């Protein structure tokens, strides 16, 4: 972004986000895979996003995630 740009960031709430071809169950942890730019269940090398709020089978393209802050 260019210097001086206005940016809106969401730090909490529930969002429908693109995911890979994996199934998610309510309550599972969600991580952001910066390479694929999708939600994943794989923690290693990825950034914690929050928790899954509704089941999403592998064939779905999105999953609902409640963003959760992590302790510093």
């Amino acid at each position: 972004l260019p210097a001086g740009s206005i940016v809106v960031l969401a730090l909490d709430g529930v969002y429908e986000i693109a995911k890979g071809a994996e199934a998610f169950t309510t309550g599972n942890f969600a991580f952001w895979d910066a390479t694929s730019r999708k939600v994943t269940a794989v923690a290693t090398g990825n950034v914690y996003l929050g928790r899954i709020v509704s089941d999403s089978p592998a064939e779905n393209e999105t999953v609902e995630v409640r963003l959760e802050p992590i302790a510093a």
Side-chain angles (χ1 to χ4, degrees):
L1 297 171
S5 296
I6 296 175
V7 178
V8 177
L9 299 175
L11 301 177
D12 63 5
V14 175
Y15 295 89
E16 188 172 337
I17 307 173
K19 69 175 195 68
E22 57 190 305
F24 288 90
T25 303
T26 302
N28 284 1
F29 293 118
F31 301 89
W32 181 250
D33 181 336
T35 302
S36 70
R37 301 185 67 160
K38 295 181 180 181
V39 173
T40 181
V42 177
T44 304
N46 297 310
V47 178
Y48 179 73
L49 283 179
R51 296 266 186 157
I52 304 301
V53 297
S54 62
D55 293 349
S56 182
E59 61 270 11
N60 283 12
E61 294 182 1
T62 61
V63 63
E64 291 182 335
V65 178
R66 177 179 304 281
L67 302 183
E68 295 181 349
I70 55 174

